[in-house]
Amino acid sequence: MKVLSNRNTKEKIKLKEVAKILSGVYMKGNPTGEIACLQIKDLQMGSPETTAMRIEYAHKLDGYMLKKGDLLFAGKGTTYLCKVFDLDIPAVPSTTLYSIRLHSGIVSPEYLCWYLNHPRVVASIKTAQAGSGTPLIHKPTLENLEIIVPDQETQRLIVELSSLQNREKEILEAIAEKRMQVTNQILINELNK
């Protein structure tokens, strides 16, 4: 099926129509390994270059090696977050992650990541989770997930606005932290008079 997206149009398509989804791999860790095996915690901490478990190269990893622009989706656990892989390190996803590689130019990785992180989409995905101890999302659930694909300019604007919102949140949190430090210093100074 050929999907086109023109300005001011929105298409509803299944994720598998624009992307290939792969499960992660299981490999034993080796501190001297040259390949990062990314886990959910590495995505949450924001510095996978330093936190990721290392593994040795094996030929079977070739099909799982991440490329810039691939998406990593947390398919196990209670945090269904998505991140765009943009690192210059050899890496593969662990079994807790799915890699999503776009094969169509109608949707940008950044927009798809924003879409998959949207609270409504996460809530929809959670309704299909399996298991109770460590819930998981099955690959067909992701493949058949309907996504709304607006035109490229709208995608770009959504990503830009989302980025600005995230930056605003960081600034407000930093201001609140500084305000608390100043208030605490004032209070301790008053006690020491």
Side-chain angles (χ1 to χ4, degrees):
M1 174 182 174
K2 188 172 183 179
V3 182
L4 301 173
S5 184
N6 300 317
R7 183 137 177 86
N8 300 321
T9 64
K10 290 182 274 188
E11 305 260 355
K12 262 194 174 181
I13 59 173
K14 292 185 178 181
L15 184 54
K16 67 182 174 184
E17 294 176 37
V18 293
K20 180 178 181 181
I21 301 169
L22 290 174
S23 300
V25 296
Y26 174 77
M27 295 283 289
K28 286 190 174 185
N30 181 339
T32 62
E34 63 273 8
I35 298 174
C37 187
L38 304 177
Q39 299 178 49
I40 295 170
K41 66 179 176 67
D42 301 316
L43 303 182
Q44 292 171 321
M45 296 170 81
S47 57
E49 313 91 321
T50 56
T51 60
M53 175 179 75
R54 297 289 167 178
I55 59 174
E56 288 292 327
Y57 171 78
H59 183 65
K60 75 174 190 173
L61 297 177
D62 289 344
Y64 296 94
M65 295 298 288
L66 294 168
K67 297 179 182 178
K68 280 191 173 187
D70 286 350
L71 282 82
L72 293 167
F73 182 82
K76 290 184 181 174
T78 56
T79 306
Y80 298 115
L81 76 126
C82 185
K83 295 274 186 176
V84 176
F85 181 77
D86 62 355
L87 302 173
D88 288 317
I89 61 171
V92 294
S94 72
T95 56
T96 60
L97 298 170
Y98 289 107
S99 66
I100 302 171
R101 181 164 296 158
L102 292 167
H103 54 70
S104 170
I106 69 159
V107 61
S108 74
E110 295 79 12
Y111 169 77
L112 182 57
C113 185
W114 170 84
Y115 189 84
L116 292 175
N117 281 319
H118 192 279
R120 274 191 174 166
V121 176
V122 171
S124 172
I125 290 170
K126 282 186 176 184
T127 63
Q129 72 187 15
S132 55
T134 303
L136 68 116
I137 298 299
H138 292 292
K139 184 177 166 184
T141 300
L142 268 185
E143 290 174 330
N144 292 307
L145 180 70
E146 283 195 334
I147 57 172
I148 298 171
V149 182
D151 61 87
Q152 292 288 326
E153 180 63 11
T154 302
Q155 290 181 47
R156 187 190 66 74
L157 291 171
I158 287 170
V159 169
E160 187 176 322
L161 180 59
S162 176
S163 177
L164 290 171
Q165 284 178 318
N166 290 337
R167 183 69 186 124
E168 176 188 36
K169 181 182 174 196
E170 291 169 3
I171 291 169
L172 290 174
E173 287 172 355
I175 290 170
E177 178 64 28
K178 292 292 182 192
R179 185 178 293 135
M180 187 173 69
Q181 290 173 2
V182 168
T183 302
N184 284 339
Q185 188 60 51
I186 291 170
L187 293 173
I188 201 73
N189 290 347
E190 285 300 313
L191 288 175
N192 290 329
K193 282 187 177 180

